[in-house]
Amino acid sequence: MAQTDERQEQPVSRRKFLKNSGLVLGGLVVGGVAGSLLKTKAPPAPQAAPAAPDFNQALMYFTPEQFRVVEAATERIFPEDEHGPGAKTLGAAYFIDHQLAGDWGFNSREYMQGPFYPGEATQGYQGRLKRREIFDIGIQEMNNYSTAKHQKRFYELEPNQQDGVLKAFESDEVKLTTISASGFFKMLRASTLEGVYADPLYGGNKNMDGWRMKNYPGNQMAYTQVIEQDKFVKMDPVSLRDHQHG
Amino acid sequence: MAKKLPKVDVVIVGVGWGGGIIAQELTKQGLTVVGLERGKERKTEDYFMVHDELRYALRYELMQDLSKETITFRSNTRIRALPMRQYGSFLIGTGLGGAGVHWNGQTFRFLPYDFQIRSKTIERYGEKKIPDNMTIQDWGITYDEMEPYYDRFEKLTGISGEENPLGGKRSSPYPTPPMKQTPAMKMFADAATKLKLHPYMMPSANLSQQYTNEDGVSRAACQYCGYCERFGCEYGAKADPVVTVIPVAKKSGKFEIRTHSHVRRILHTGNKATGVLYTDVTTGEEIEQPADIVVLTSYVFNNARLLLLSKLGRPYDPATGKGVIGKNYAYQVIRGGATGFFEEKEFNLYAGAGSLGMTLDDYNGDNFDHSDLKFIHGASISFSQTGQRPVANNPVPKGTPNWGKDFKAASIKYFNRALGVGAQGSSMPFRQHFLDLDPTYRDAFGDPLIRITFDFEEQDRQLAAFTADKCGEILKEMGATQIDVRRELGPYDITPYQSTHNTGGVIMGASPDISAVNNYLQMWDVENLFVIGASAFPHNSGYNPTDTVGALAYRAAEGIAKYAKGSGGLLV
Ligand SMILES: Cc1cc2nc3c(=O)[nH]c(=O)nc-3n(C[C@H](O)[C@H](O)[C@H](O)COP(=O)(O)OP(=O)(O)OC[C@H]3O[C@@H](n4cnc5c(N)ncnc54)[C@H](O)[C@@H]3O)c2cc1C
Ligand code: SF4
């Protein structure tokens, strides 16, 4: 997938980059990330090892049934095609699972005090439910709707039937009382894209293949050499893991 | 009973750009200064793992924790204000350096017109041009008086730029040359020049080259890393209070910073402030810090809120138009822009810097004739290349589905083939737009939240449609194969991000009837209380605010030093 022949820039490790750039760091600002990095010891030479299993691919929040629904839905939102892998292969559903298990799932950095009143759309989310609770309900309702309509659970449907269900949620054609169907769909769509494109450290964007599809080089140290170039510069991506171990 | 500490010369509430500049300048004058900051300590080393879009840009790692404190919002007084439960429209800074840590660094001066907006509008178009409810006023200071302070803030931060051909007069050039120019920026410049407009390189606090300022602070050149807006700079290249003013103030030995210190009240007897009351959030202890001079630098919202909570100044009443605290809340009209899709060209859009771009001011301020237009003022129009990150950027031409196979194909294809030309529209104050205390919702301490009453008006709708068309014309000249123009502004919606350019609430002016502070940002009603920030802007211009915030902070520091050494009283 990496188009080595077209590559004009080699990804540089932090250490090498800092040595090459002769970077000047703040006078009064002692140290800095860059400074402290220069002092760290070089990592041991890489050894060829057999591919280890991905220990990250286990569930922190979803039940296996919930996971199946979410995985199938993310794949319809971002399907595998001639451009490359879809959300399923990229691990977006694991990403969502892991996110729901933490701060984001608990809305812990958001204002969740009452009183709760329905507001105008321009006032934003005003519900009392946390994201994990919205997912619980939304997933259940997707199965309910699928069963009512096609006598099958969501993940057992044909892809075009699944699209129909998702559209019914997106357009609020599904009438729900506890949550907004379209609000749930929006969250599902947004978190699918996060799972496809966030740093692989979070469990999605497996092998950085989401980034490769978009010709996104990940988080390189610097683009001073690229910034003025007229030609598109393709690079093999680097991730935060490379920042720590590179 | 709160623990009472020994008195200091000056106490500062909040240590961002405002607080940092005050601390640096007043310690130079030999004053002892204590800075109280509700958030945590910050340093460049924190940014080892900063190139993380999810954590910083989408989960708001560096911003205020809304579970503890937020704002409430309603579009008008007839509906109930509700809390901003999640981030959207703007992002509030916290911690050492405040929002100055994760800003972009686009550092524009306001226009001479801005400071005398009312008299200049009347002079050119007559009084009728100003709608009844539009409460614009002159600032009580002119551009020429502001110029030396702009110059100081730009030298402090080392701004990289070239002269704006349509801007106010400069006493000296920018301290460092402009940033590098990308092919897309060049296309914008060429197209604009062909259209007889006046493009110039966006003034940038990201640094085109290594720079050492007058206080001996040396910073590295920007690396165009593309993780700037919403991120801290691991190189110390981006001007940020933590790598400029704060270490200088600390080095003086006269500045003490106390982080995790949440100020809840300004204490006062009679017409004088006596200090502040704060909570050490790590222990819950209540502490009183007495001071001769109190300086509020806690951003627009808390500047207004602390005054209202402490019952200082005269609260604004929209029904009568009387009172000043909370008056003239304004924002920014951002949505009138356009996106161009280029079939034939792929740009290196992943590379960029927070303030890398080109701007033109042909449609800003009163640089063009408004006789036949139904709005005043205007917008700066820019193409900026701030570093396109993959989760947030999925540009697709109008008509493309929002998900599924076609969405995937288009969003991948256009990720490096779509350019946005945007307008940063000015925002005029209206009688019905204001800040006050919310009657229902409270922060983690039980204190009322600040309430915003604000909506877009006809002025804003006209402006957005006008600037959107101009952006579209430029993209056409740039050769875009498809152009989506956003003419419709809609109502003000707190959910999509627009800009953290909130202004007003504690505005400046020439007299106490129409303003809360004088042109040294000294409270008319409380002579030893200074209120610094964009809260002082009587309206918002078609630019980002921080050059003007920094300049006003320098002016206020001069005033505070004068006040401290003199025999008191109002400086104006
Ligand atoms: C993503 C983003 C991008 C931006 N880009 C630009 C740009 O390109 N150009 C530009 O001009 N502007 C930009 N801005 C705006 C700019 O960041 C602000 O104008 C500027 O930082 C304001 O400085 P300040 O000192 O007034 O407030 P702040 O930086 O907000 O500092 C206020 C400080 O006070 C503290 N505080 C608040 N209340 C209390 C309390 N009760 N007790 C104790 N401490 C308290 C806060 O924690 C904070 O640290 C941007 C903002 C954001 C969020
Ligand atoms: S773009 Fe430049 S100024 Fe911004 S964070 Fe990266 S290196 Fe720093």
Side-chain angles (χ1 to χ4, degrees), chain A residues 28, chain B residues 24-25 28 148 151-158 172 175 211-219 248 251 554:
Chain A
L28 274 166
Chain B
Q24 170 178 291
E25 293 306 301
K28 278 183 196 165
D151 191 56
R152 292 189 67 186
F153 183 69
E154 289 163 6
K155 285 182 174 150
L156 162 78
T157 45
S172 55
Y211 176 71
T212 306
N213 76 9
E214 286 163 5
D215 299 299
V217 171
S218 184
R219 286 159 41 226
V248 173
K251 216 177 135 203
Y554 268 103

Side-chain angles (χ1 to χ4, degrees), chain A residues 227, chain B residues 106 108 180-192 199-203 338-340 342 347-360 380-388 416-424 471 474-475 478:
Chain A
I227 194 80
Chain B
Q106 305 178 358
F108 294 97
K180 292 181 195 284
Q181 199 182 42
T182 67
M185 286 160 69
K186 184 146 192 319
M187 281 165 62
F188 175 87
D190 290 347
Y200 61 99
M201 291 289 286
M202 183 179 276
T339 305
F342 294 77
F347 304 92
N348 295 310
L349 296 177
Y350 52 82
S355 27
L356 182 65
M358 299 214 68
T359 301
L360 50 93
S380 54
I381 288 180
S382 303
F383 164 71
S384 42
Q385 188 165 336
T386 58
Q388 202 106 282
N416 289 311
R417 287 187 176 89
L419 305 179
V421 170
Q424 179 146 238
C471 294
I474 296 170
L475 277 164
M478 285 167 75

